[in-house]
Amino acid sequence: MKPKLINSIEEMSAIRRLLKGKIGFVPTMGFLHKGHLSLVSAAKKQSDIVIVSIFVNPTQFGANEDLSNYPTDFERDIKLLTDLEVDYIFFPTDEQMYPEGYKTWVNVDKITQVLCGRSRPTHFRGVTTIVAKLMNIIDPDLMFMGEKDFQQLVVLKQMVKDLNFRTKIVGCSIIREKDGLALSSRNKYLSSQGRNKAICLNKSLLLAQKLFNEGITSSNKIISQMTDLIEDNESIIDYIEVFDPETLEHIPEVVSGSRIALAVIVENTRLIDNIKIV
Ligand code: AMP
């Protein structure tokens, strides 16, 4: 069966009120790849009804970011979601989500100012606001999100807890290309040379794990070797950070369970990735 396409908030809310069973929700910005589809598959397995949203959320882009170029392919997205037998696709317009006179923001303190928040100070405010709105409209039992955006996952779990949403967030592992590059809609911006350079993100994370396996635990030492590897690939580091996965606070010594995340600019495209050190 083809998914039902819904582009109005009123219709989505009205349909939702009639749905029974466990509702699984996957929020996306479209231009779907296997990373998104892994979330949909997880939702299919764990829910009775699956709703996917496609909305390129303008408020999570900074003034000089790629909102106007953000890749889209709605027809292809619909086909992929039809193949996976999704039940509903919700794709509201900007005007519906942010009508003239819109004034309300959801903001999570502190953990939104570190890591990606340093160079994207208004990004997470946009993310938490749109996800809160989508959750109010869809009221899902489960919401599926990728660990690819690890900070986003932690921030949204905090929001759900603090604002007493009843939805449970399910974190799903990072899907990668065979050579280790984490799938991302933004990989489309890369030339074939850039694509090769971009593997340095994952390579540097694997190097961190190797160093840890060899007994090196100093975050500074690990970050320094990761830095060399990335700079050898002519890429610009926004940040590399070693942190506690719950507080997102920097830790000077890596332990099993620590996270390392990084943002690197390859050919003007800012890419992110992370690893759980085991
Ligand atoms: P986006 O469309 O970029 O907003 O991403 C929508 C969801 O897909 C988010 O929960 C992302 O974390 C998740 N996602 C994006 N890329 C990947 C990936 N390579 N593996 C797993 N999940 C991903």
Side-chain angles (χ1 to χ4, degrees), residues 16 21-24 138-143 166-169:
R16 168 62 185 104
K22 196 177 270 188
I23 311 295
I138 290 169
D139 184 25
D141 295 276
L142 301 173
M143 180 166 70
R166 67 179 194 88
T167 303
K168 179 173 174 276
I169 297 185

Side-chain angles (χ1 to χ4, degrees), residues 27-29 33 35-36 39 70 145-146 148-149 152 173-175 183:
T28 81
M29 297 208 298
H33 52 63
H36 298 111
L39 307 181
Y70 197 82
M145 315 215 72
K148 159 87 178 358
D149 301 272
Q152 170 172 286
S173 40
I174 303 174
I175 305 298
L183 294 185

Side-chain angles (χ1 to χ4, degrees), residues 26-39 53 55 57 60 70 127 143-150 152-153 156 170 172-177 181-187 272-273:
V26 183
T28 81
M29 297 208 298
F31 204 67
L32 303 180
H33 52 63
K34 284 183 187 150
H36 298 111
L37 301 182
S38 73
L39 307 181
S53 66
F55 181 65
N57 175 34
Q60 69 189 68
Y70 197 82
V127 171
M143 180 166 70
F144 295 81
M145 315 215 72
E147 287 185 350
K148 159 87 178 358
D149 301 272
F150 188 78
Q152 170 172 286
L153 189 61
L156 288 172
V170 183
C172 301
S173 40
I174 303 174
I175 305 298
R176 300 178 179 283
E177 305 276 12
L181 178 66
L183 294 185
S184 163
S185 305
R186 291 191 166 98
N187 293 347
I272 57 171
D273 201 348

Side-chain angles (χ1 to χ4, degrees), residues 158-259:
Q158 184 76 45
M159 178 191 82
V160 160
K161 184 170 164 231
D162 291 350
L163 295 186
N164 311 100
F165 281 101
R166 67 179 194 88
T167 303
K168 179 173 174 276
I169 297 185
V170 183
C172 301
S173 40
I174 303 174
I175 305 298
R176 300 178 179 283
E177 305 276 12
K178 279 202 186 75
D179 61 13
L181 178 66
L183 294 185
S184 163
S185 305
R186 291 191 166 98
N187 293 347
K188 182 188 157 59
Y189 299 141
L190 301 170
S191 71
S192 63
Q193 275 173 328
R195 168 73 187 66
N196 287 335
K197 287 181 191 163
I199 307 167
C200 74
L201 279 84
N202 183 238
K203 274 194 183 151
S204 72
L205 293 168
L206 295 177
L207 172 65
Q209 177 70 63
K210 179 171 164 282
L211 294 170
F212 180 71
N213 294 346
E214 289 167 4
I216 297 173
T217 57
S218 152
S219 296
N220 284 345
K221 279 192 185 147
I222 290 176
I223 290 172
S224 153
Q225 294 217 31
M226 291 174 72
T227 301
D228 290 346
L229 189 153
I230 292 164
E231 288 180 350
D232 285 348
N233 281 273
E234 298 159 19
S235 300
I236 301 163
I237 296 167
D238 174 4
Y239 71 84
I240 303 176
E241 187 58 283
V242 180
F243 58 94
D244 176 281
E246 271 157 35
T247 62
L248 302 187
E249 276 168 18
H250 171 76
I251 45 174
E253 296 288 325
V254 180
V255 294
S256 180
S258 302
R259 280 265 166 184

Side-chain angles (χ1 to χ4, degrees), residues 22-74:
K22 196 177 270 188
I23 311 295
F25 174 47
V26 183
T28 81
M29 297 208 298
F31 204 67
L32 303 180
H33 52 63
K34 284 183 187 150
H36 298 111
L37 301 182
S38 73
L39 307 181
V40 176
S41 298
K44 284 291 291 183
K45 279 199 194 103
Q46 297 179 48
S47 336
D48 302 309
I49 294 164
V50 174
I51 305 176
V52 176
S53 66
I54 297 177
F55 181 65
V56 181
N57 175 34
T59 63
Q60 69 189 68
F61 289 78
N64 300 317
E65 294 181 1
D66 58 340
L67 173 62
S68 57
N69 298 328
Y70 197 82
T72 57
D73 191 342
F74 190 65

